[in-house]
Amino acid sequence: MAAAARAPPTAAARVGLLYDERMCAHATPDGEDHPEKPDRLRSIWRKLNAEGVASRYGLSLASARRLRVPLLDSRCVALKAKEAKDKYIASVHSQNHIKLMKDISSKKYDSSRDKIARKFNSIYFNKGSSESALLAAGSVIEVAEKVASGELNSAIALVRPPGHHAEHGEAMGFCLFNNVAVAASYLLNERPDLGIKKILIVDWDVHHGNGTQKMFYKDPRVLFFSVHRFDYGTFYPAEGDASHCFIGEEAGKGYNINVPWEHGKCGDADYIAAWDHVLLPVAEAFDPDMILVSAGFDAALGDPLGGCCITPNGYALLLTKLYASSGSESDIEDVDELYGTVSSVDVTQAADDVLGERLLKMKLDEDNLAMKSISSGSSVEQLPSDSVEEHSKASVFASKRIADLSFTWRSVSSRIYVWYASFGSNMWKPRFLCYIQGGKDSWYSNVLYLGKEDDLPILTMTCPSSDIEKYTSGELPLAPPSKTYAATLIRGLVEGKQLDAVEAAGYINSAAARVL
């Protein structure tokens, strides 16, 4: 989460940076791997140190923590994490929700914690969840307050669990408290002395910020802007109010803006266009006193779920443009110079060599289609002027071919009401169709129909067809799903009215013990 003020203070203290290892205590119950894991935050901190941004004294992270030395260079100010008070969280969350999130890590929930987690959509708890959630919300308040008071030009809080999916009375989508909403409400309602009367919240996470939208849907003091994958309502959180048609209600009508992508592979040029033609003109008219950014980076090139391809330079330009719009042009690099760097970069080179090679060789269907997909690094800006027309024609032709393709497994599966469960999914038909439709030309092209067993359709979208053969022959050993993932599968089967919980658990256990 990042914050910037409209009027910059003195140049002495420019950027605040907050990180606290305690927020890494929130993890899956038994240490299973998960997209939203402690290493996600630690890797950011390691990168900052590697680049010298957070390594003023040349100490290791362990030594710095032991000596209590802030690992920051002269450009940054170290901020301390603080737990959010109940009364501040209560401005956007119900009392019952606050009590549960604060108590879920206590001993009294040791035997029921996992069961409670299964009642929510894509949520896990452990003994460190409560403290992490309180610190995350409190830390965003801390950085926002420092910027609003004029102590800092801008600040970033490296926090987890994230927050933009959390709703008034419900945790969802890896989010326990809605951190940015708590901070915005704090500035508007608890600290009128700071003079923050209008706040722009920019949510560039690849998923829609459903919780944040609902919390300020009728509030004209908050302009909420979310750019996200929508895929005609099938992309997580698969709610219709992520559409561009939802613009706010009552006094807040016109203060809610959604820019929904209907497919993956959107990159720097797409997001810059949304900024230049939608966000920045509206932001200029709104003239906010504060900008808060829900900075999820899962629209980045290489993210396996987001399927988009923003480069690091692309993110830099988006933030630079936004920061410039706040009236802080004197403290930033030349926007035009940075734009030139971004528009000329080959996105396949922004990732590691392995990822770049995968992007270049990615096919729509390994068994039935020889045509390679167009590289995500090919944008109109990167092509010579005399090849733009040819590129456009080729894109249209490719789109038509993709739309006309007929896959055997799709024709079979289209007659079955499939319920699919996975981390980050909603476990209903629209969620599954997101993968089916996305498989036409993006990351999810590896959906294989394997037939039926016990009258249940069996599909895999986690490995290529070549691996299926290896599993069948025994070359690759079968392994049961982790406890957390198994619980999610069970919920999907139960909500799909295929099996009850006991039958679903028995089916998964028996299936994991049999060869294909």
Side-chain angles (χ1 to χ4, degrees), residues 337-383:
E337 181 179 348
L338 184 55
Y339 180 81
T341 302
V342 174
S343 63
S344 63
V345 71
D346 180 354
V347 295
T348 61
Q349 298 300 316
D352 63 312
D353 293 339
V354 175
L355 176 59
E357 184 178 355
R358 287 179 181 175
L359 284 171
L360 291 173
K361 293 182 177 180
M362 190 165 59
K363 300 178 182 179
L364 299 181
D365 183 272
E366 286 190 337
D367 299 323
N368 302 322
L369 186 63
M371 184 182 71
K372 293 182 180 179
S373 64
I374 297 174
S375 168
S376 60
S378 299
S379 65
V380 172
E381 287 81 358
Q382 294 170 244
L383 296 172

Side-chain angles (χ1 to χ4, degrees), residues 185-203:
S185 180
Y186 171 80
L187 293 178
L188 292 170
N189 301 315
E190 301 293 334
R191 293 299 307 274
D193 56 302
L194 295 177
I196 303 298
K197 299 179 180 180
K198 295 185 293 182
I199 295 177
L200 167 63
I201 298 178
V202 176
D203 190 329

